[in-house]
Amino acid sequence: MTTVAPGTTALDRDWWKTATVYQIYPRSFADANGDGMGDLPGITSRVDYLAALGVDAVWLSPFYPSALADGGYDVDDYRDVDPRLGTLADFDTMAAALHAAGIKVIVDIVPNHTSNAHPWFLEAVAAGRGSRARERYVIRDGSGAHGAEPPNDWESLFGGSAWEPLGDGQWYFHHFAREQPDLNWEDPEVRADFRTTLRFWADRGVDGFRVDVAHGLVKDLSEPYAPWREVAETLRADGSHPLWDRDDVHEIYAEWRAVFNEYDPPRFAVAEAAVHPSRRARYADPQGLGQAFNFAMQEADFDLADFRATIEAGLADVEVTGSTTTWLLGCHDTPRVATRYGLPLAAGERAQQVARQWLLSDGRAPEVDLALGLRRARAAILVLLALPGSTYIYQGDELGLPEVGDLPPEALQDPMAVRSSTEKGRDGCRVPLPWTTTGPSLGFGSGGSHLPQPASFAAYAVEAQEGDPTSTLSLYRQALALRSELNRGPELHWVDAGPEVLDLERPGGWRCVTNFGPRPVDLPTGRLLLTSGDLVDGRLPADTTAWVATS
Ligand code: BGC
C-alpha cells in the first residue's frame, strides 16, 4: 500500500479547504447483498453516481463492527468492518473505486467511547476493582452504602443517568447510551491505540477523518462534583466545564497531527465539536485537527438576517483559525432540511426548535408545506455552494428527501427513541435512499429496508430525477460542476440589495442572489448560470436563488 505520493502539490495538500463532501450513512445508502442493510459493496456499486454528482470526497459514518446501539457510533473494533457491511477487502475495493473516480475518502473516528462489547470493556467488567483494565474507562466508586448509588447526579445526553453500575460498587460513565462507555484519555494505552487506528486507516489510503465528539475526550472528575444543574449547560467560553471542551484535549490532537503529518499529503481531519463559538478555532488549528464543523447553517431558519449573520460569523471564524469553515444544511443527526424549511412557524418560533419538538417528543404532526420546504432547500444549497470554504452534503438531500416523521414506533432504532416513550429520535433522516421508482426497497437493495421507506419516496428516486433537468438531483449536479469552475479564491463581497435579498459576489464576477421576500426582484445584469427555480417574467421569484456571471 502506498502512503507517499511523490510530487504532491500544495493544491493536493489543501484539497479539503474547498472540498464538497458527501456524507454517506452506510447502512442506508445502498444494499448490495439484499439483507436490508446498506453495505460497502453497495457504495462501490454507486461510485458512478457519486462521480456524476461531482463531489470531491465522501465521509462515511461508522461501518465498524457494532451492535448498532447507536447506529454504529458504538464501536466494537476500530480496525475492522462490520460483517453485515462487508470486509476489509471490500473497504479496499471501495476506496480504490472512489479514488479512481477522483473522490477522496474520509472515515469517522469515534474516540470518546467504545461500545460495551469492545474487548477492553469486557475485560474491564471481568477484571474487577482496582484492575489495570478499569483504567481505560471513566470508572468511579458509587456513593451511598456499598456504592449502591451512582457517583453523582449527572445525566446522559440520551436521557437517564450518565452512570451504570458494574455490580461491585463501581460505576462507569457514559455521555451517550449505556452501551457507549466513555474512554479515559489520561490512559497512555488508550492514546497509543488510537494513533495505531489512525495509521491503520491512513495506511489503507484513507484521506481524512471526521472526529466524533471531539470536544468530549478530556474530563475533570475531581471531587466535589458540581451538581447536574450546573453541568447541564454545556457551552462555556472559558474551558471550565468539567466534561466538555477542556483545554487539555488539544494535547491529544497535537499528537494526532504528528501522525497525520507522517503522510504525504498529510491526512485531513474535521472536528465535530459542539463548543462555544469563541473556542471553535482551537479545533481548527493547523497544529491540531485542522478544521472544525460549523453547524450554524443547519440551525438557521430560511431567513435573510439568519443567513447573513451565519455566513458573516463563519467567515469571521476563518480570520481567526486560518483554516476554512464548513457549511452544511443537514447530517444524520438533524431533521431533513426540506422538511424544516416547510414547517409552519408562529412569530418568534425557530424551525429547528419546532422540528425537534415534533420529531423528538412525539408532538402533534404539523402541516408541513413540503413544496415550500423543497423550494427553499434548493435555494439554500445554491447559497452554500457559492460560499468560500467547504460544503458537506448529507445523502438524500440531493434528492430533496423529506424527514420521515411517522415511522412506526416498533421500527425505531435510535437510542434516543428506544430509551424513551415519547421521543422519535433521529431515524427519520436515516431512511434508506430510493434509487428506483419501483421494486423492493426502491432499488436500495433486493431485499427490504432496515427502516421502512414511505411510498412517497418513489417520487424522489434517482431514477425519477436523473433525466429531468428541473429535478433537485440535476440542480445539485449542475451546481457542483459550475462550482468547481467558478470557485476561485476565498474572497466574498456583499452587494447591498435591500432588505429582502441576499446578494454576494465571489472572484471573477460570480454573483449569488437569493430572494427571501415575497415579490419577484430584478437580477443583476450578466449571464444567468443557474437558478434554483423558474424565473417569473425574467425576474427572481420568492424563495429562489440565481447564480449570475457579471463579468
Ligand atoms: C454522532 C451521533 C452519535 C454521537 C455519539 C455524535 O456526534 O454524530 O450520531 O450519536 O456522536 O457517538
Side-chain angles (χ1 to χ4, degrees):
M1 245 162 288
T2 346
T3 53
V4 176
T8 308
T9 64
L11 203 61
D12 296 329
R13 303 169 76 88
D14 288 347
W15 63 268
W16 52 272
K17 290 191 171 173
T18 54
T20 48
V21 182
Y22 184 84
Q23 182 191 353
I24 293 183
Y25 191 73
R27 293 182 303 128
S28 300
F29 184 68
D31 170 21
N33 65 2
D35 67 354
M37 190 176 288
D39 44 40
L40 301 188
I43 298 173
T44 308
S45 74
R46 299 293 180 183
V47 168
D48 288 353
Y49 172 80
L50 297 166
L53 184 58
V55 292
D56 301 311
V58 291
W59 146 34
L60 278 79
S61 281
F63 49 79
Y64 315 112
S66 166
L68 303 178
D70 182 19
Y73 284 90
D74 46 320
V75 179
D76 298 350
D77 180 350
Y78 291 88
R79 302 197 278 269
D80 205 350
V81 174
D82 190 303
R84 287 165 293 185
L85 272 67
T87 61
L88 281 170
D90 291 331
F91 180 87
D92 293 341
T93 305
M94 177 200 70
L98 287 163
H99 283 152
I103 299 171
K104 312 265 194 226
V105 180
I106 299 169
V107 299
D108 216 312
I109 289 292
V110 188
N112 180 68
H113 42 265
T114 67
S115 78
N116 60 350
H118 189 286
W120 277 353
F121 191 72
L122 299 178
E123 199 188 329
V125 173
R129 300 175 69 89
S131 62
R132 158 81 197 107
R134 289 213 174 169
E135 287 170 21
R136 299 191 193 105
Y137 290 90
V138 179
I139 292 176
R140 292 290 182 276
D141 289 335
S143 59
H146 311 293
E149 300 296 324
N152 60 34
D153 65 345
W154 294 353
E155 289 178 20
S156 140
L157 292 178
F158 288 165
S161 171
W163 297 96
E164 286 296 316
L166 284 162
D168 52 12
Q170 289 209 303
W171 297 64
Y172 70 89
F173 178 81
H174 58 96
H175 262 317
F176 296 91
R178 64 169 70 88
E179 295 86 353
Q180 293 168 296
D182 279 43
L183 284 164
N184 170 21
W185 275 86
E186 283 172 27
D187 185 65
E189 193 189 348
V190 169
R191 291 199 183 207
D193 194 75
F194 269 86
R195 292 196 298 271
T196 303
T197 294
L198 296 175
R199 289 194 184 96
F200 177 87
W201 293 108
D203 288 344
R204 289 199 107 81
V206 155
D207 303 280
F209 300 92
R210 179 258 189 194
V211 182
D212 189 61
V213 195
H215 56 313
L217 278 47
V218 173
K219 299 161 179 90
D220 175 11
L221 264 74
S222 52
E223 297 181 49
Y225 299 116
W228 176 245
R229 64 186 147 70
E230 277 174 28
V231 178
E233 178 47 63
T234 60
L235 301 187
R236 288 192 196 166
D238 60 1
S240 66
H241 197 287
L243 296 177
W244 298 109
D245 188 28
R246 304 209 43 95
D247 290 345
D248 294 353
V249 78
H250 299 290
E251 286 171 17
I252 297 167
Y253 300 134
E255 291 171 7
W256 288 21
R257 174 50 55 192
V259 175
F260 301 148
N261 289 351
E262 289 166 12
Y263 295 85
D264 183 15
R267 296 321 190 223
F268 146 80
V270 58
E272 186 220 22
V275 296
H276 191 277
S278 65
R279 294 183 53 95
R280 197 156 50 218
R282 296 160 178 248
Y283 295 83
D285 193 299
Q287 304 308 318
L289 294 178
Q291 195 180 50
F293 274 120
N294 166 11
F295 293 112
M297 210 36 129
Q298 77 180 3
E299 298 298 319
D301 281 347
F302 190 81
D303 169 270
L304 174 58
D306 247 26
F307 264 54
R308 172 110 190 209
T310 303
I311 295 168
E312 281 177 346
L315 298 178
D317 233 31
V318 168
E319 302 283 313
V320 182
T321 63
S323 177
T324 56
T325 194
T326 67
W327 310 105
L328 63 149
L329 294 172
C331 68
H332 66 294
D333 291 330
T334 317
R336 290 256 185 208
V337 61
T339 295
R340 283 195 329 259
Y341 287 167
L343 288 168
L345 298 182
E349 274 186 340
R350 313 264 315 160
Q352 271 291 12
Q353 273 167 3
V354 173
R356 289 201 171 109
Q357 211 172 316
W358 165 40
L359 296 164
L360 303 184
S361 66
D362 210 16
R364 206 164 50 83
E367 286 292 317
V368 184
D369 184 341
L370 281 180
L372 176 67
L374 183 58
R375 194 158 75 238
R376 290 177 164 178
R378 290 167 57 112
I381 190 64
L382 289 199
V383 176
L384 265 64
L385 289 173
L387 297 175
S390 152
T391 299
Y392 284 69
I393 297 164
Y394 178 50
Q395 71 175 38
D397 278 355
E398 82 280 16
L399 303 176
L401 287 184
E403 181 77 11
V404 184
D406 55 358
L407 284 166
E410 63 280 7
L412 298 179
Q413 303 170 9
D414 182 358
M416 288 177 113
V418 171
R419 290 185 66 150
S420 147
S421 56
T422 53
E423 293 190 350
K424 290 183 176 155
R426 300 162 293 176
D427 291 314
C429 68
R430 300 173 178 183
V431 174
L433 295 193
W435 293 89
T436 54
T437 53
T438 55
S441 62
L442 302 173
F444 166 63
S446 58
S449 149
H450 69 98
L451 284 167
Q453 296 157 309
S456 61
F457 262 33
Y460 294 90
V462 174
E463 182 183 45
Q465 299 202 29
E466 233 162 8
D468 174 1
T470 67
S471 71
T472 303
L473 178 58
S474 297
L475 177 74
Y476 268 74
R477 285 181 176 172
Q478 293 171 72
L480 285 159
L482 275 170
R483 173 188 158 97
S484 65
E485 279 170 36
L486 297 169
N487 194 24
R488 301 276 171 269
E491 297 81 12
L492 180 152
H493 298 292
W494 293 109
V495 181
D496 184 7
E500 292 178 334
V501 176
L502 185 88
D503 191 342
L504 59 91
E505 181 169 21
R506 299 290 312 285
W510 175 20
R511 283 274 282 281
C512 174
V513 186
T514 307
N515 184 1
F516 286 89
R519 285 166 298 276
V521 295
D522 287 332
L523 283 168
T525 312
R527 188 163 50 91
L528 189 63
L529 299 170
L530 188 62
T531 59
S532 63
D534 288 340
L535 299 185
V536 174
D537 300 329
R539 306 180 83 211
L540 187 68
D543 306 312
T544 310
T545 297
W547 286 359
V548 180
T550 57
S551 59

